Amino acid sequence: MIGALVFIWLMFHFATDGRFLTPRNLFNLSVQTASVAVMATGMVFVIVTRHIDLSVGSLLGLLGMIMGTLQLNILPDIVGLGHWSIWIITVFIGISAGVAIGAFQGWIIGYLTVPAFIVTLGGFLVYRGAAWWVTSGQTVAPLDPTYKLLGGGAEGTLGETLSWVLGVIAALAAVAVMLISRRTKERHGIQVKPIWAEGTLMGLVVALTVGFAWLMNSYKVPDRAAARIAKARGWDVPEDFTMYHGIAIPVVILLAVAIVMTIVSRRTRFGRYVYATGGNPEAAELSGINTRLLTVKIFALMGGLTAIASVIASARLGAVGNDLGTLDELRVIAAAVIGGTALSGGAGTIYGAVIGALIMQSLQSGMAMVGVDAPLQSVVVGMVLVLAVYIDIVYRRRTGA
């Protein structure tokens, strides 16, 4: 997958005369990928357990409408216009609503034994209609200024210093995890890579991590916008003041979600139950796993992650329209599948889903920069999805997975 991603980037970089692999485009690409990638991490658990969720795009739109209405029409009358707590209350209620709706869907699937395809297809229709009903089809704007920082932009970033700090910490953490994993394998007699191969891989990870921070710190904020931001923050700046974006807040949110979801999938009983159920549902139930309750938990988690993605998507746009989240369910499923999650269940990784989302967004962004029409973009993405599934099937046949 990483090789395919690099190939796509280089192909579009040459096709756009060097405009694709630039700090500006990579910054925008990272922000655009965040919301879909967050949902894709949850979709891994859904697909691993042999279910599907077709409602995430519509649910994202509904939660966006609820959160937009809260901060525009309800909370200002309760806590006061522009109060510092508006964005916190909004996010809390949005995530709580997402978890509740997801758990309700999981209850229908797990305890009433209605197929997930039917339940979430119904949700796809219900939530899109409910989103329109919440605001009678009107766009909700403007959103709370602090809330909008969660969507990125010139102000919604860590800045230069914190971006370097995060890059270095992430690189050191990655190296530490790889060393711990190697020692654990050696302790249990599991074959490990040669030292030179492990060292090369560590060097590559460090280079990519620190290099990403460097690229984000190389994206200059336009002078007028920088002056406006500095003035709003009360800074005394010289005439030749320059400011750089740094890592966007949505990327930080995605990184945190990916780390937590990876830990959950690999280091917790819940994660082990998910993969055990996906590998053999009958055996999992006979071994004492409450697969019905597990289904409720998985869809509740998917609902919570959809709410986080809705925060990112609506904050990035600064408004909530009726088209928010349209076709996101297909992008999320495609990202998980392209990332190696088996539709037959039992196999899938969090980092694979994130890379899959990045591949999907890179294809769409690159084709848009080249000038490919939107209908043809859909054709290409559909072909890539089918090809990815075919390659996965062939690989599993040959390896016996």
Side-chain angles (χ1 to χ4, degrees):
M1 289 186 295
I2 294 176
L5 179 62
V6 171
F7 173 77
I8 291 171
W9 282 4
L10 292 176
M11 179 182 67
F12 283 126
H13 188 65
F14 289 117
T16 57
D17 297 326
R19 291 183 291 116
F20 190 84
L21 293 178
T22 60
R24 175 184 178 183
N25 189 59
L26 292 178
F27 177 89
N28 293 330
L29 184 64
S30 66
V31 173
Q32 293 164 358
T33 303
S35 62
V36 170
V38 166
M39 290 188 287
T41 63
M43 190 62 72
V44 170
F45 282 10
V46 173
I47 297 178
V48 161
T49 51
R50 306 188 183 188
H51 294 300
I52 200 72
D53 192 342
L54 301 175
S55 67
V56 291
S58 297
L59 181 57
L60 183 145
L62 172 61
L63 294 173
M65 281 295 187
I66 292 174
M67 290 187 285
T69 302
L70 273 172
Q71 57 190 292
L72 187 67
N73 300 325
I74 299 177
L75 291 178
D77 295 334
I78 299 176
V79 300
L81 183 64
H83 195 269
W84 61 269
S85 65
I86 287 179
W87 75 273
I88 298 175
I89 298 173
T90 297
V91 172
F92 176 77
I93 293 177
I95 294 177
S96 299
V99 170
I101 293 173
F104 178 67
Q105 286 193 144
W107 177 76
I108 296 176
I109 296 166
Y111 286 90
L112 301 186
T113 66
V114 180
F117 182 89
I118 299 300
V119 174
T120 58
L121 179 60
F124 169 83
L125 300 172
V126 170
Y127 303 146
R128 185 60 65 185
W132 189 93
W133 177 76
V134 169
T135 60
S136 300
Q138 298 178 352
T139 297
V140 179
L143 302 182
D144 181 75
T146 306
Y147 178 87
K148 289 194 292 185
L149 298 180
L150 300 176
E155 298 180 69
T157 66
L158 295 181
E160 294 178 70
T161 303
L162 287 179
S163 295
W164 279 121
V165 171
L166 178 62
V168 172
I169 291 176
L172 294 175
V175 171
V177 170
M178 295 173 71
L179 288 174
I180 293 173
S181 176
R182 182 182 178 86
R183 291 177 181 176
T184 302
K185 290 178 180 179
E186 290 176 338
R187 191 182 310 121
H188 291 86
I190 301 174
Q191 185 177 4
V192 296
K193 299 182 181 71
I195 295 179
W196 66 267
E198 198 83 51
T200 301
L201 184 59
M202 290 180 185
L204 181 61
V205 169
V206 170
L208 289 174
T209 306
V210 177
F212 176 73
W214 173 76
L215 279 172
M216 297 301 97
N217 281 333
S218 300
Y219 180 25
K220 182 181 176 182
V221 178
D223 292 338
R224 291 186 178 180
R228 175 178 53 81
I229 294 171
K231 183 178 180 180
R233 295 177 180 177
W235 296 350
D236 293 326
V237 295
E239 294 182 0
D240 58 346
F241 173 72
T242 57
M243 183 178 179
Y244 296 88
H245 283 77
I247 299 175
I249 291 178
V251 178
V252 179
I253 296 174
L254 171 59
L255 179 62
V257 168
I259 291 173
V260 171
M261 289 293 289
T262 300
I263 293 173
V264 169
S265 66
R266 294 186 175 183
R267 301 293 182 181
T268 67
R269 179 185 300 176
F270 172 73
R272 290 191 291 271
Y273 283 0
V274 167
Y275 285 89
T277 301
N280 192 325
E282 292 78 14
E285 192 163 1
L286 290 173
S287 67
I289 298 176
N290 189 341
T291 55
R292 294 183 176 185
L293 180 59
L294 183 68
T295 301
V296 175
K297 291 179 180 179
I298 289 170
F299 278 88
L301 178 62
M302 184 73 250
L305 291 172
T306 302
I308 295 174
S310 182
V311 170
I312 295 173
S314 58
R316 181 169 67 88
L317 297 173
V320 184
N322 288 294
D323 60 343
L324 184 68
T326 301
L327 294 181
D328 271 6
E329 55 279 336
L330 302 184
R331 297 187 183 98
V332 171
I333 294 171
V337 173
I338 290 175
T341 304
L343 289 172
S344 58
T349 60
I350 302 302
Y351 68 84
V354 174
I355 296 174
L358 187 55
I359 289 176
M360 291 284 295
Q361 189 58 50
S362 296
L363 281 172
Q364 292 184 320
S365 177
M367 287 188 290
M369 292 179 68
V370 172
V372 178
D373 293 335
L376 187 55
Q377 292 182 28
S378 299
V379 171
V380 173
V381 171
M383 292 172 62
V384 169
L385 175 60
V386 174
L387 179 62
V389 174
Y390 173 71
I391 292 174
D392 180 68
I393 292 173
V394 172
Y395 171 78
R396 293 182 189 282
R397 283 176 182 171
R398 292 183 177 179
T399 58

